[in-house]
């Protein structure tokens, strides 16, 4: 059967599935070559917000399409490291990836808005931008590289770890080398305080900390806990200085040739999983912080409000860098939108 005929047949099957509850088609009866296979590659452990949401998405899609659409999840950089993922998506070696917002900023500098320290007070402010017109503007940029953004997922706010000394003020960053996940604003954030940076993919972080090539790193609790960074780091500062989320995206050519019913099923399921992912991200980060406290391998320092305000003022330097690279308009729009919801 030709590819077009196969797609026509799939679209008929999907139409029957979505149109009437009485006609049940068992996925097992669908010839393997007639299935839609979506390889979903990511770099974190399964027991993380992204890891669990990817699995949930795959399960729901399989159930709802009666096995016709199969999402195969490859966690933990099994297939590709970050840095390789964009290329793999564009070659069609995988069809779906969910890199951090910071990593998307390597392609589209305005995405560095998510990296700006202390721009977002809480997750509600983050979601307000993600789900509004400014979030859409960012997702629309992906078209330029033949990628289609399906959703934005959370991980949470980042904190600092290092193995040299407790960090309670920004001056304590001086002289340390921090691993960063992306260049630009994140580099600037450390360089402004006399710290050096090392740009590395996620699956090389543990070893670089163990070997002392980097003394510290910034990440969410979920990533610190699941990657056992507390085995190679002595101090954790709960600084909550920057947000880290994910852009879930597909190869656009692949997307466009899918039957309309398949796209609809995938989009609806993705929207539902996104709400679930946001809840689970918050819960996991809280739970895993308690686990880190219980494990007691890393000394935890929490910035108080006064210290947090000082950090926020210190980090303001970094905003000028963003404005230089991406212009002030976008930043002002985001700030304005955040202010609007704060006013009574
Ligand atoms: C990291 O590279 O530190 C994280 O972005 C990994 C991830 O995808 O959460």
């Amino acid at each position: 059967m030709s590819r077009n005929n196969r797609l026509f047949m799939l679209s008929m099957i999907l139409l029957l599935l979505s149109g009437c509850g009485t006609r049940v088609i068992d996925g097992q009866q669908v010839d393997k070559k007639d299935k839609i296979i979506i390889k979903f590659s990511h770099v974190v452990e399964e027991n993380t917000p992204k890891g669990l949401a990817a699995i949930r998405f795959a399960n729901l899609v399989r159930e709802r399409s009666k096995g016709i659409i199969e999402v195969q999840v490859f966690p933990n950089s099994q297939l590709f490291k970050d840095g390789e993922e964009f290329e793999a998506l564009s070659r069609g070696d995988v069809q779906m990836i969910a890199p951090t917002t910071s990593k998307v900023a390597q392609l589209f500098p305005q995405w560095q808005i998510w990296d700006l320290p202390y721009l977002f007070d809480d997750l509600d402010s983050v979601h307000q931008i993600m789900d509004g017109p400014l979030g859409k503007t960012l997702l629309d940029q992906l078209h330029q590289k033949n990628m289609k953004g399906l959703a934005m997922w959370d991980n949470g706010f980042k904190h600092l770890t290092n193995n040299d000394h407790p960090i309670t003020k920004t001056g304590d960053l001086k002289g340390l080398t921090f691993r960063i996940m992306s260049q630009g604003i994140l580099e600037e954030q450390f360089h402004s305080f006399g710290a050096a940076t090392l740009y590395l993919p996620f699956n090389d972080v543990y070893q670089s900390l163990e070997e002392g090539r980097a003394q510290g790193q910034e990440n969410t609790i979920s990533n610190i806990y699941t990657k056992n960074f507390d085995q190679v780091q002595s101090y954790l500062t709960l600084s909550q200085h920057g947000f880290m989320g994910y852009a879930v995206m597909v190869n656009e050519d692949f997307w466009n040739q899918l039957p309309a019913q398949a796209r609809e099923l995938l989009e609806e399921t993705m929207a539902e999983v996104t709400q679930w992912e946001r809840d689970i991200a918050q819960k996991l980060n809280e739970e895993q912080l308690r686990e880190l406290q219980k494990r007691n391998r890393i000394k935890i320092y929490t910035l108080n409000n006064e210290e947090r305000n000082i950090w926020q003022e210190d980090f303001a330097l970094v905003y000028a860098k963003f404005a230089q690279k991406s212009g002030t308009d976008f930043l002002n729009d985001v700030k304005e939108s955040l202010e609007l919801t704060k006013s009574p």
Side-chain angles (χ1 to χ4, degrees), residues 3-15:
R3 183 174 176 75
N4 279 349
N5 283 344
R6 273 219 304 280
L7 286 174
F8 176 74
M9 197 194 93
L10 274 173
S11 113
M12 286 299 99
I13 295 174
L14 283 158
L15 193 62

Side-chain angles (χ1 to χ4, degrees), residues 42-45 48-50 82 85 98-103 155 158 179-182 200-203 205 217-220 222-223 227 229 244-246:
H42 70 79
V43 300
V44 293
E45 297 283 340
T48 55
K50 178 162 64 178
D82 36 41
E85 279 190 327
T100 58
T101 41
S102 317
K103 290 167 194 170
N155 189 315
K158 290 176 295 182
R179 174 269 174 171
I180 47 168
M181 64 184 88
S182 182
L200 284 179
F202 187 53
N203 66 331
V205 181
Q217 62 89 47
E218 54 166 4
N219 231 309
T220 58
S222 147
N223 280 341
K227 280 290 181 193
F229 289 162
M244 195 187 86
Y246 303 109

Side-chain angles (χ1 to χ4, degrees), residues 23-66:
R23 173 87 183 262
V24 176
I25 297 175
D26 181 353
Q28 301 303 320
Q29 294 169 17
V30 181
D31 197 319
K32 210 160 176 210
K33 69 180 184 324
D34 291 329
K35 282 191 176 191
I36 296 173
I37 306 278
I38 299 177
K39 290 194 172 132
F40 185 169
S41 164
H42 70 79
V43 300
V44 293
E45 297 283 340
E46 287 188 328
N47 185 24
T48 55
K50 178 162 64 178
L52 293 175
I55 294 171
R56 187 175 180 87
F57 178 68
N59 288 342
L60 288 175
V61 166
R62 191 189 55 239
E63 237 172 64
R64 290 171 184 180
S65 70
K66 305 281 186 273

